[in-house]
Amino acid sequence: MKDKFYQYIQELQDSITSKLEAVDGKAKFQEDLWERPEGGGGRTRVIENGHVFEKGGVNISAVHGELPETMRKHFGVKDANFFACGLSLVLHPKSPMVPTVHANWRYFEMYDPEGNIVDSWFGGGQDLTPYYLFDEDAIHFHRICKTACDNHHPEFYPTYKNRCDEYFYNSHRNEGRGIGGLFFDYCKATDNMNMKNWYDFVTEVGDSFLEAYVPIVEKRKNLPYTDAQRTWQEIRRGRYVEFNLVHDKGTLFGLKTNGRIESILMSLPPHVQWVYNHHPEPGSEEEKLIKVLENPKEWIVS
């Protein structure tokens, strides 16, 4: 399974980066191959200063070795080795009219001292972080997510949509990071879903990413915007940074397993503002966004 999924994310990285380069029309992804001293490595691809994407990364990694002490405590095990691979992407567009997007699809195995697999699971998801809220964009993104889920179980979309709203939440701000999507973790074999079933589900979600995001980019990338709207985008990016550094499990896992810092922190946007006690004007488009972030919506009404 680990070889099969690692092959999948390598191919997915290629298809996503080539499509995004075509959408941008100017910038190309720069590739950086790296090795982890304790075992494994990855292939980082970063795009910067394009027509559409100010900064972004589409990274894959496959790391293995002895589970660090902090992670042994987290999983409640003594001696264990692990293997983890995944694709993680974040795209920060230049225009505040185009939403930031994040996605991640991953696989994890844990072994006993004899090398036998004692646990394995999939995780991942994709979520949207707009600066100006276009309802039709949110509906489109969620509809693609729901379609991918419905092909595997009718409860997957409502369950993983709610988990996304709960996970990508800045509790210290009492607001969501964005308008959600899907978030799933610890997807293990059960009577109803074996690991091949989970693989099929996770890869279908991964394959849906470009369909979920690119039409939104194409629709919004040429809209005009003001300096004030750009400032709002940078203020909201600050909330994105806060979430990644305070709450995000993937960031914390990378830091605790001696991951590659440049790859871990590539999710941070290049230009950010923190304005003291900032509140949008009542009745403004900016306030419209905040109200939805404070009270997540059901975008797909069946």
Side-chain angles (χ1 to χ4, degrees):
M1 183 58 76
K2 70 180 184 181
D3 294 336
K4 184 177 182 179
F5 190 68
Y6 187 53
Q7 179 68 30
Y8 167 75
I9 61 174
Q10 291 179 78
E11 295 170 357
L12 184 62
Q13 184 190 39
D14 289 341
S15 63
I16 289 176
T17 54
S18 61
K19 180 62 177 179
L20 294 177
E21 285 179 348
V23 170
D24 188 273
K26 173 188 175 185
K28 301 294 184 181
F29 279 90
Q30 303 300 308
E31 182 173 277
D32 190 8
L33 303 178
W34 56 273
E35 293 185 0
R36 177 177 175 267
E38 295 86 351
R43 189 169 70 186
T44 294
R45 291 181 183 171
V46 173
I47 191 169
E48 294 180 298
N49 303 315
H51 281 312
V52 176
F53 301 111
E54 188 169 23
K55 183 185 176 187
V58 182
N59 301 342
I60 60 171
S61 64
V63 298
H64 57 85
E66 185 178 347
L67 202 63
E69 182 180 358
T70 54
M71 302 309 295
R72 291 201 300 268
K73 290 180 179 177
H74 175 76
F75 292 123
V77 298
K78 292 183 178 180
D79 297 321
N81 289 328
F82 80 99
F83 170 88
C85 71
L87 185 155
S88 182
L89 70 84
V90 178
L91 297 165
H92 293 288
K94 180 182 297 184
S95 169
M97 299 300 155
V98 183
T100 283
V101 72
H102 160 260
N104 173 266
W105 307 282
R106 57 192 179 273
Y107 177 67
F108 193 97
E109 287 184 352
M110 196 153 51
Y111 313 98
D112 65 18
E114 286 71 46
N116 302 305
I117 297 176
V118 294
D119 211 351
S120 63
W121 62 85
F122 284 100
Q126 51 202 37
D127 61 282
L128 203 64
T129 304
Y131 305 99
Y132 287 89
L133 186 61
F134 297 92
D135 285 5
E136 61 267 37
D137 294 352
I139 292 168
H140 167 80
F141 189 85
H142 277 267
R143 183 175 290 124
I144 299 300
C145 290
K146 184 176 186 299
T147 298
C149 288
D150 286 352
N151 288 333
H152 299 270
H153 197 287
E155 291 302 313
F156 278 2
Y157 173 73
T159 299
Y160 298 144
K161 189 268 186 191
N162 289 337
R163 288 185 187 172
C164 190
D165 291 336
E166 293 168 359
Y167 180 78
F168 293 105
Y169 186 76
N170 266 329
S171 54
H172 63 285
R173 296 285 193 180
N174 293 317
E175 64 183 30
R177 188 179 77 173
I179 57 142
L182 301 174
F183 180 80
F184 43 89
D185 206 358
Y186 301 112
C187 297
K188 303 182 181 184
T190 65
D191 292 340
N192 299 320
M193 291 285 290
N194 60 34
M195 294 308 289
K196 172 62 164 58
N197 298 145
W198 282 122
Y199 172 89
D200 292 342
F201 164 65
V202 173
T203 55
E204 178 154 2
V205 174
D207 292 342
S208 77
F209 169 75
L210 289 171
E211 185 183 359
Y213 184 57
V214 168
I216 297 172
V217 178
E218 297 284 16
K219 186 183 294 186
R220 307 300 173 191
K221 67 181 183 180
N222 294 319
L223 291 179
Y225 59 88
T226 65
D227 289 343
Q229 289 170 326
R230 172 71 178 182
T231 295
W232 170 250
Q233 177 195 44
E234 293 180 357
I235 291 171
R236 294 305 310 171
R237 282 176 170 180
R239 305 295 173 88
Y240 197 95
V241 171
E242 289 175 21
F243 177 86
N244 280 28
L245 295 183
V246 175
H247 302 296
D248 186 64
K249 292 179 182 177
T251 301
L252 298 177
F253 176 81
L255 296 175
K256 290 178 179 178
T257 55
N258 195 28
R260 184 171 184 267
I261 298 300
E262 288 300 316
S263 297
I264 297 167
L265 299 184
M266 71 86 195
S267 62
L268 303 184
H271 300 286
V272 189
Q273 291 191 43
W274 280 272
V275 177
Y276 178 75
N277 200 29
H278 183 273
H279 297 281
E281 291 290 329
S284 65
E285 287 298 306
E286 292 81 3
E287 186 188 56
K288 173 187 172 183
L289 173 70
I290 295 299
K291 286 186 175 180
V292 170
L293 298 182
E294 291 175 343
N295 298 283
K297 288 182 63 172
E298 292 298 328
W299 295 101
I300 307 297
V301 179
S302 56

